[in-house]
Amino acid sequence: MEIVASRHIDSTTGDLMKRTICIFLFLAATTVFAQDKNPVTSVVKEILPRQEKNLVAAVEEMPANKFDYKPTEQQMTFSHLVLHIIGSNNHLCSTIGDVPEVKAAVPLKESDGKDKLIAALKASFEFCTTALGKVDDSKLGDEVELFGGRKGPRAFALIALTNDWADHYSSAAMYLRLNGLLPPTAQGKK
């Protein structure tokens, strides 16, 4: 029990340090982009490639035979997590960029397999890149439909998107670690 508690404390301290560093980097980036006419959307566009790289690498790291893994009965499977990331990217980026949401001819399923899910995940990030290219800070106050018919400013969807990327990566990292695998950001340089 002491080892678990110690790991939790170390993990919590590490998480706090990572959040502090992220906040610092966000503030630094905001300062750098202060001369930019679109500092908020520019920062999100700068965040996207790193989050894409980490999330795709995390999904690629999980062995295909572990995509049905879920830590507890109440949690989703790893493949469901990937489907959730894809859906979140497509919905939020569609809302942010005011472009039609990408719909697959045949809806994806948890049983579709690793290769098909990775391809769809990559496509969802390509869609986000395109959709984010269509928005600037002047549109952040526009009212959009968020979730479940709820309305709010486009800025809410933009912030929710970056929060989702962080949340989804932490979930994927947990699934990997519970299977004895290191998440991409914990691996040494290749």
Side-chain angles (χ1 to χ4, degrees):
M1 194 63 154
E2 286 181 21
I3 292 172
V4 172
S6 174
R7 284 187 187 151
H8 176 71
I9 291 168
D10 290 345
S11 174
T12 303
T13 303
D15 290 344
L16 182 59
M17 286 179 58
K18 286 179 186 173
R19 286 185 182 150
T20 303
I21 290 169
C22 286
I23 290 169
F24 174 76
L25 291 174
F26 176 77
L27 292 173
T30 302
T31 302
V32 168
F33 288 108
Q35 301 303 317
D36 188 344
K37 293 179 183 175
N38 300 296
V40 177
T41 52
S42 293
V43 168
V44 174
K45 291 171 190 176
E46 290 288 323
I47 291 170
L48 187 145
R50 177 174 165 73
Q51 294 294 359
E52 176 183 8
K53 176 183 161 212
N54 289 336
L55 280 161
V56 169
V59 174
E60 289 174 338
E61 183 71 21
M62 183 65 87
N65 66 343
K66 294 288 189 174
F67 269 55
D68 62 349
Y69 171 78
K70 57 182 175 176
T72 67
E73 191 56 39
Q74 294 79 20
Q75 289 176 283
M76 64 179 78
T77 63
F78 188 78
S79 60
H80 188 99
L81 173 63
V82 177
L83 289 173
H84 178 73
I85 297 167
I86 294 164
S88 178
N89 279 355
N90 288 336
H91 173 72
L92 287 171
C93 291
S94 169
T95 300
I96 293 163
D98 198 22
V99 294
E101 190 169 336
V102 174
K103 297 286 185 186
V106 177
L108 292 168
K109 305 179 298 290
E110 286 185 52
S111 60
D112 278 336
K114 180 177 178 173
D115 292 339
K116 189 171 184 178
L117 293 177
I118 288 173
L121 179 62
K122 289 177 179 179
S124 76
F125 277 105
E126 289 172 16
F127 175 68
C128 282
T129 299
T130 301
L132 289 175
K134 298 183 182 299
V135 69
D136 59 50
D137 287 10
S138 70
K139 299 175 184 176
L140 294 181
D142 296 352
E143 185 176 72
V144 296
E145 187 170 322
L146 300 167
F147 301 102
R150 195 173 119 232
K151 303 270 185 194
R154 189 180 314 275
F156 184 96
L158 193 68
I159 292 167
L161 179 66
T162 60
N163 287 345
D164 275 0
W165 289 333
D167 180 51
H168 295 150
Y169 181 74
S170 69
S171 293
M174 176 195 62
Y175 280 59
L176 288 168
R177 285 190 182 275
L178 288 171
N179 281 281
L181 302 165
L182 285 177
T185 54
Q187 297 175 10
K189 300 245 186 226
K190 293 182 179 183

